Amino acid sequence: MIKHLRFYQIPWSHYCDKVRWALDLKEIPYDTINYNPYGKTKGLERAPKTIRKLMPILEDPNNNDNPFRCDSTPILLYLNTQYPQSSLSLFPSSSEQCQQVFDTCLRLDSELGLYTRRIAYVQILKEKSSLMSILLGEKYSWAHNPDDIRSRLFSPFIACFMIARYRLHRIREEQLRERTEQILLDIGERLRTHDYLVGEQFSAVDLTFCSLIKPLQHVPCFFDDNRFRIIFDYHERIRQKYDPKYPNIDNFIEKIIDKHRLQIKTNEKSLITRLKIFIHRINFIQRIFFAFMTMIVKTVYGPTTDNEEVPQFNVLSSQDNQEKAAVNDQRRITFKSIWSMIKFFVKYYCHLLFTIPNQAAYLNRKR
């Protein structure tokens, strides 16, 4: 009898959704353990010290030699190899085609997955920044309520870490919207003549792509763009046909965002909301102040000041698929002194107030 696998995840991570989907699709029994980024996660103390503490991580008690696996695409390959009894294979039997699928998944993880994560976080900071408190959710129950006063107090500090860790204040300079659009347009061209992304049957590439674009369903500049309708229709079709948990796949953050948008839409009709919007539009002093402060922040905290946060993980370059890993863009944040910590929070709080709104405006600018 197969022992339950242990699936360590961040519930809202699209990389974790990818592994969750594969486990459900192959009907492999598993238990879910939510990762605690600010404390200990029960079970991970058994993991080798050399393993990268990046979610998802899979622990397979049925494998006594090497039970721990990390990085979503190598995990998919491992599941396909270790549990071949499923009628649906995620990788072709041909070694050449299998390598093509594997490399394509890694490329999507290293490009599209990183872009959509950063874009989604900027969208969250724009719409409801107090949602950042969810990162404390494994430690404090109140963190699951973004309207709690404690969530509102702690979320700016968490947002500072997230901005620095994922360089959310540089998505415009790095042209993330344009890069993402180009990937989607290229995929769209493929879908005009084919039902699947590689070959003529469902594979790990389709699963990977659909998982990685899921956050974009809550980013209006992509979801409402008719150029990408073929992409989201394809996502819907693949989910309906191959995801056993569909349509109950929205995570906590997505549900809160949907609820928040519905509340805003309801409040738009009220007189008080209309009055606030009118005052905001005619408040030229506020606009001038914001533009002035944005210019100051841009001058004082230009791109060269980002060098203090260095990449946290090195990219593995082994030719063995089991050891290959996708590129990861997370930055290491360390404080050498209290003064360096104060400077860090001042810097990134300024970015939160004055840079992130411009990044969000760049994302939502109509083409």
Side-chain angles (χ1 to χ4, degrees), residues 151-164:
S151 294
R152 293 178 180 273
L153 288 173
F154 278 96
S155 57
F157 296 99
I158 300 172
C160 289
F161 278 107
M162 299 300 286
I163 293 169

Side-chain angles (χ1 to χ4, degrees), residues 231-357:
I231 296 290
F232 293 108
D233 288 345
Y234 156 79
H235 172 269
E236 182 82 6
R237 172 171 59 85
I238 293 296
R239 288 280 189 179
Q240 285 182 349
K241 190 172 182 179
Y242 296 103
D243 190 344
K245 285 191 176 175
Y246 187 83
N248 301 313
I249 58 173
D250 282 353
N251 59 55
F252 171 80
I253 289 182
E254 290 168 338
K255 290 177 180 178
I256 292 292
I257 287 292
D258 288 339
K259 182 180 177 181
H260 178 67
R261 288 177 178 174
L262 183 61
Q263 187 66 43
I264 289 177
K265 193 172 182 179
T266 303
N267 292 340
E268 281 179 351
K269 300 177 182 179
S270 70
L271 180 61
I272 295 176
T273 302
R274 291 181 179 181
L275 185 60
K276 286 181 179 179
I277 294 173
F278 176 73
I279 293 174
H280 176 73
R281 287 177 177 174
I282 64 173
N283 192 346
F284 295 106
I285 295 177
Q286 184 184 34
R287 290 187 182 185
I288 293 171
F289 173 76
F290 185 85
F292 175 74
M293 288 303 300
T294 300
M295 182 180 65
I296 294 296
V297 171
K298 187 176 181 180
T299 303
V300 176
Y301 298 122
T304 56
T305 65
D306 296 341
N307 296 333
E308 297 171 6
E309 287 76 50
V310 298
Q312 184 170 2
F313 300 100
N314 294 322
V315 181
L316 301 178
S317 58
S318 170
Q319 295 303 309
D320 183 355
N321 282 347
Q322 294 288 354
E323 296 183 18
K324 274 188 177 180
V327 173
N328 193 283
D329 61 354
Q330 296 185 43
R331 318 287 284 188
R332 181 183 292 112
I333 300 169
T334 55
F335 302 124
K336 297 179 181 179
S337 64
I338 294 178
W339 176 239
S340 68
M341 181 176 67
I342 293 172
K343 289 197 298 181
F344 170 87
F345 281 113
V346 170
K347 171 184 174 180
Y348 284 101
Y349 190 64
C350 286
H351 281 309
L352 175 63
L353 293 179
F354 302 107
T355 309
I356 293 299

